[in-house]
Amino acid sequence: MLHYLTYVGSSHQIELAKKSFEKFHAQPLSSDNERFKLSHSYLGDLELVVSLLSDIGKVGPHLKTNQIDLLIYDEREGGLDAYAAIHKIESDVASLAQQWGPDFVLPKGRIIVLLENAVGVAEKSFKLGRLNVKDVLVAPQSIAKTLRWIARVLLKDREKHAYKVGVACNGGAVEGHLYQAGCIHALNRALRHRTLYDCDIYSGVSSGSLHATALASGIPEEEIIHSIKGTSQRIPPLKSSVIYDFAGREIFRRFAQQAKDWGTLSPLSWLSKAIKIIPTGIFKGDGLLSYITATLNEWGGQNDFRSLHKELYIGATHQDTFEHVIMGAPPWTHVPISDAIRASCAIPPFFAPHKIDGTTYLDGQISSPCDLELLVRRGCNLIVIVDPILPYAVEEAENAGGLFNLIQSIKSLINTRFRSELAHSTERFPDVDFMVFQPYGACSSLMRGSPLKYKINTQIVDLAYKTTLARLRDRHEVYHARLLKYGFELADEETLQELEEAAPVN
């Protein structure tokens, strides 16, 4: 199995490493002999691609184009203090992540430190351990012993891994649904031999639950796009009238109930009464439920979590306790998938809450933006995340109006929670790889308004498709290496360019 290792040390230590690699007949992968592919009996069946860096400031830029499964920082020969070096790496990577996205990370649990056997080494090792570095090696005697030690570390990690792959589809209302359709379709087209349909576990929250279900059920994403565009021969067209079924009767009932004694109230009580007129949902959600049920019935009738060949989990929020509930897991395995999706999409006050077994549920994103920890607990070591909610920054936000700022504030809140959960999961589970796809560029600009627009804008689907393929090209070497470890193959950059120039569907 191939692993990517980056060694950071002084110029002298780099030269010693190069000479040692020559003795081990390592294959040079760059003209400057700073990248090698190494296979040796010391490594067992492991293969290493080793990058050599003499400047700690280059770790961040190196991470842009290179997968790092393990980083070895060598403090010896006058290098920067290891404790300070780790903080510098962390700061540099965090700064670049603002441009490259939330999956641009190097958890401290992937860092190994080499120390000289000097006064205070025990205290320094203890301090590094508190930083949660993977390991500390004091005064290694030779490169051979260091390689054996690295092999033991990697093999021990491999024994713990199930090497399952999970897909997490976050929420984002109607616009999120459109974005995910284009993004997921692009990912499937970009992969060879195995696609997202060949993953092990799927998790969905809010509108993302529709796509998680489609992947787990084998419903072609291309067919979903045809449904969005009204050209599907098998799935009902997803019209605005399907999603926005006005709850006129409920709204009138609430108005009549609150207005009957309006004239006897003091003006101070009018506001209290007016607030109670606001319905629990402007839209009934019956059209969405019927659409989901019809789609599942058309594709095999598997409206039951227990009948699926893949694991599927859908997050919802308990209305009374605001607890995050994961349907598809005990004790909610018996819930029909269509009801679970309908509950997960019940965002107040737009869609009415949904009752299941006498209990009322709301949109799953209220209590959790993404069920990452669930996927890790189920054994996933690679998690592909499709996250449509991203705030759109403008230079003069006050000129954009109050509604625009309110929408961006909500998006920012959800996005901050997601990034916090991802950062926590990355540090807590350093051996898990994450790939995050979010709208950017023209797609982000198009999605900057309300995610509950009444008009279904199919241009979002097309832009999501193209920008996802562009993202895969931008970080091709990183994503290719990350996917290959789990049995997936990413198409070459030329093929990705051709796919990007083609239409998402015929």
Side-chain angles (χ1 to χ4, degrees), residues 156-173:
K156 185 178 179 181
D157 286 342
R158 189 169 71 178
E159 290 171 2
K160 297 186 297 184
H161 291 174
Y163 283 95
K164 291 181 180 180
V165 179
V167 179
C169 299
N170 297 1

Side-chain angles (χ1 to χ4, degrees), residues 80-113:
L80 182 66
D81 176 80
Y83 200 79
I86 290 171
H87 281 297
K88 176 172 174 52
I89 292 171
E90 191 175 30
S91 175
D92 290 349
V93 170
S95 177
L96 287 168
Q98 298 300 317
Q99 295 177 302
W100 286 85
D103 60 353
F104 187 81
V105 292
L106 179 63
K108 293 188 287 292
R110 290 192 181 188
I111 299 176
I112 290 175
V113 178

Side-chain angles (χ1 to χ4, degrees), residues 256-268:
Q257 185 180 30
Q258 297 299 324
K260 60 185 178 182
D261 57 351
W262 196 277
T264 64
L265 296 175
S266 67
L268 293 176

Side-chain angles (χ1 to χ4, degrees), residues 23-44:
K23 292 180 182 178
F24 290 126
H25 305 291
Q27 175 189 352
L29 297 177
S30 61
S31 57
D32 56 5
N33 282 350
E34 291 191 349
R35 200 160 188 247
F36 296 85
K37 187 173 184 180
L38 180 61
S39 301
H40 198 274
S41 57
Y42 291 155
L43 298 172

Side-chain angles (χ1 to χ4, degrees), residues 169-181:
C169 299
N170 297 1
V174 177
E175 284 193 345
H177 174 66
L178 302 177
Y179 173 80
Q180 290 184 93

